[in-house]
Amino acid sequence: MTQRIPAQTTETSVSNDEQRLIEVLRKTLAYARKRGYRGWDYGDGMSSRLLRMLPVDNRWLNIFVQELAKRPPINLRPLLLVEQRRNYKGTALFAMANLNTAGLLGEIDGESASKIDMESIAKNGTTDDTNEPVNYTREAYQLNEWLIANRSVGYSGFCGGHNHKIQHINSKGLPNDPDIVSTSFAVKSLLSATELDPMYASIARTAEEFLVDDLDYRTVDDGAIINYHLNHSTDVYTINAGAIGARMLIDLYAYFEKESHRQRAQEIFDHIVNLQTDIGGWTYREPSSSSHLSMDNHHNGFIIESLLRYRDVTGSDRYDETIDRALSFYRETLFDSSGAPNWDENKTYPRDIHASAQGILVFTYAGELDFARRILAWALDQLYAGNGQFYYRKHRLYTTRITLMRWCQAWMAYAISEYLTALSDFRSSMTSL
């Protein structure tokens, strides 16, 4: 699909727009770098030191504290003494965002003049508000090394997970319990950074064994399924997690060209395609009654992104009809024409920064750069505090002015860097014609 730039955008205004966005990107990374990429997270309430000091361990008390940290419009985490930690998936996103930024600024290929005009940026005083020069390649390398050093151990292959306890109704997730979503983003990051260390690829490759053995890859009538994590009930299937696992296999296939990667991914996708609803979206789980979530925004984005990745790598038209229906639903139902993300197929609010970031990624990968830029413009107008800091959610009557390091900062840094990279590649291809 051809990437589209808005008809009213001239080459000069695009260049100015790129320079403004690279400033936002650099400031967003600076915000995280100053804090060691540590911060509060979406489900970190059980890391409360107050809760841990209590002499009892009660699941309802755990859930109360967990939700008390998560739900209010003001940040109660400091009062609850919630610890700020690095998130595994967030670290992978930051690693890829730093590596993209290194490419945009010419650290890797020395083509900064055809990418971002750094001389013009310096002239206009555009900085990432640090006095020290930043080596984004080194940042990416150190973050990938952290992913390897902090992987979950004792499993069939490379894997990782969140680093907070999470209280569920009937079970408890423990720190570093590996899951396919966290693992897949770490694999994606390592594969993107093989020029920094060729050993990254061989480490990432073993994640296939984690998916097959530990997450119980198994065939069903119309394809295959995997578990989301080790404590996943076999009575429910988390659809977007399956899609992300299949995308991980396709990322491995793109690098190693091992047929089992493609075949297993295709079998997972075949089942997921059959779960698409008549209106084009997917519920969070199958059966849909097993979750309070319906066809929410960013989880549908994960599925579409994964299918787009399969098509891009394999060149196959196997899922074209599914992708077209899904993109129409995603664009017309889960986003407003202004670029604002809707919560799901029925509710507008809350408008979530993660949904914005995922929308930027999906439409960038789909070649619809104009709509990706519209979503980005909305996020910058409504949920950007300035100085590289993004807020969590916008409700109908108020904005939750809380910054979560993974949910807000990592996702937006990665989304902006992917958009800018695609835009740069597009403009370079037009120049070469």
Side-chain angles (χ1 to χ4, degrees):
M1 184 180 295
T2 302
Q3 294 179 328
R4 300 198 300 271
I5 303 297
Q8 70 273 20
T9 304
T10 65
E11 183 175 349
T12 301
S13 64
V14 167
S15 178
N16 291 337
D17 192 45
E18 283 182 274
Q19 292 174 18
R20 186 165 69 90
L21 289 175
I22 196 68
E23 175 185 3
V24 174
L25 173 58
R26 296 177 75 205
K27 286 179 177 291
T28 304
L29 290 173
Y31 179 97
R33 189 172 60 251
K34 286 180 179 180
R35 294 160 177 80
Y37 302 96
R38 296 178 178 85
W40 287 300
D41 197 25
Y42 177 74
D44 60 1
M46 282 192 65
S47 295
S48 162
R49 293 202 298 274
L50 289 180
L51 180 64
R52 285 152 49 197
M53 282 189 277
L54 296 178
V56 296
D57 183 10
N58 178 275
R59 66 172 173 172
W60 298 114
L61 178 60
N62 292 341
I63 289 174
F64 173 76
V65 173
Q66 187 171 270
E67 297 306 303
L68 186 62
K70 183 190 299 182
R71 302 291 179 184
I74 59 174
N75 192 6
L76 298 179
R77 290 172 177 84
L79 297 177
L80 295 170
L81 302 181
V82 172
E83 293 182 0
Q84 298 188 50
R85 302 175 181 175
R86 277 193 188 184
N87 177 270
Y88 199 77
K89 177 166 59 176
T91 300
L93 295 169
F94 279 128
M96 291 186 287
N98 272 286
L99 196 62
N100 282 341
T101 305
L104 289 164
L105 301 185
E107 283 184 14
I108 295 175
D109 57 17
E111 296 178 359
S112 58
S114 66
K115 295 179 177 289
I116 301 298
D117 185 353
M118 291 305 297
E119 183 178 348
S120 176
I121 288 177
K123 186 186 301 181
N124 293 317
T126 306
T127 69
D128 61 1
D129 71 9
T130 63
N131 294 322
E132 298 294 327
V134 181
N135 186 317
Y136 294 99
T137 306
R138 184 174 62 236
E139 290 291 316
Y141 174 78
Q142 291 173 344
L143 291 170
N144 278 298
E145 290 291 304
W146 187 93
L147 290 173
I148 295 170
N150 289 273
R151 67 192 184 276
S152 300
V153 297
Y155 300 95
S156 299
F158 175 75
C159 58
H162 295 295
N163 53 7
H164 299 279
K165 288 183 180 179
I166 299 177
Q167 180 68 63
H168 307 293
I169 294 296
N170 297 314
S171 63
K172 185 188 296 181
L174 299 177
N176 298 319
D177 273 359
D179 64 83
I180 190 55
V181 178
S182 298
T183 299
S184 71
F185 282 98
V187 166
K188 189 177 184 69
S189 181
L190 291 176
L191 290 176
S192 72
T194 53
E195 290 186 7
L196 306 183
D197 189 332
M199 289 299 296
Y200 288 167
S202 60
I203 294 171
R205 186 175 191 171
T206 67
E208 180 187 16
E209 282 70 51
F210 168 70
L211 181 148
V212 172
D213 298 333
D214 297 316
L215 297 183
D216 192 19
Y217 174 94
R218 56 204 182 273
T219 58
V220 292
D221 289 342
D222 57 356
I225 59 176
I226 58 172
N227 294 336
Y228 181 2
H229 48 74
L230 298 180
N231 300 317
H232 195 284
S233 169
T234 56
D235 295 330
V236 300
Y237 181 57
T238 305
I239 301 172
N240 78 90
I244 291 173
R247 191 208 65 196
M248 183 190 81
L249 292 172
I250 287 299
D251 287 338
L252 290 170
Y253 175 72
Y255 192 90
F256 293 106
E257 299 184 346
K258 182 182 176 184
E259 183 59 22
S260 67
H261 294 148
R262 187 203 62 79
Q263 184 62 39
R264 284 181 171 136
Q266 182 174 297
E267 290 175 351
I268 295 172
F269 281 134
D270 282 349
H271 178 67
I272 289 171
V273 163
N274 286 333
L275 296 177
Q276 188 178 31
T277 64
D278 292 340
I279 63 174
W282 286 267
T283 57
Y284 179 70
R285 281 184 182 154
E286 176 66 25
S288 59
S289 59
S290 62
S291 174
H292 68 283
L293 294 174
S294 181
M295 300 181 206
D296 70 290
N297 191 304
H298 78 270
H299 288 118
N300 269 266
F302 281 156
I303 298 170
I304 301 169
E305 174 193 339
S306 300
L307 288 166
L308 288 168
R309 179 62 172 158
Y310 176 91
R311 183 169 69 181
D312 180 59
V313 170
T314 66
S316 170
D317 61 0
R318 185 181 185 89
Y319 305 121
D320 278 5
E321 182 179 347
T322 299
I323 291 171
D324 289 345
R325 291 178 57 224
L327 278 172
S328 293
F329 167 77
Y330 193 56
R331 185 190 308 104
E332 297 164 13
T333 303
L334 296 185
F335 284 91
D336 185 85
S337 60
S338 68
N342 297 324
W343 178 253
D344 62 20
E345 77 278 20
N346 295 314
K347 292 183 293 185
T348 300
Y349 292 93
R351 300 191 189 275
D352 190 285
I353 191 64
H354 190 343
S356 292
Q358 189 58 38
I360 295 165
L361 291 166
V362 168
F363 289 109
T364 293
Y365 300 148
E368 299 185 35
L369 291 178
D370 49 355
F371 200 72
R373 183 64 183 89
R374 194 181 308 173
I375 298 170
L376 179 51
W378 182 89
L380 289 171
D381 182 61
Q382 297 292 322
L383 289 173
Y384 185 53
N387 292 319
Q389 181 180 8
F390 286 90
Y391 289 141
Y392 175 37
R393 282 178 178 170
K394 184 175 181 63
H395 296 260
R396 190 178 300 277
L397 299 178
Y398 65 91
T399 298
T400 304
R401 300 177 187 276
I402 298 172
T403 298
L404 305 176
M405 189 60 76
R406 166 183 59 108
W407 200 271
C408 305
Q409 299 302 110
W411 274 112
M412 283 304 296
Y414 180 57
I416 294 171
S417 73
E418 287 284 277
Y419 169 80
L420 282 171
T421 299
L423 184 60
S424 173
D425 291 343
F426 174 83
R427 295 181 64 205
S428 296
S429 68
M430 291 298 98
T431 303
S432 64
L433 292 179

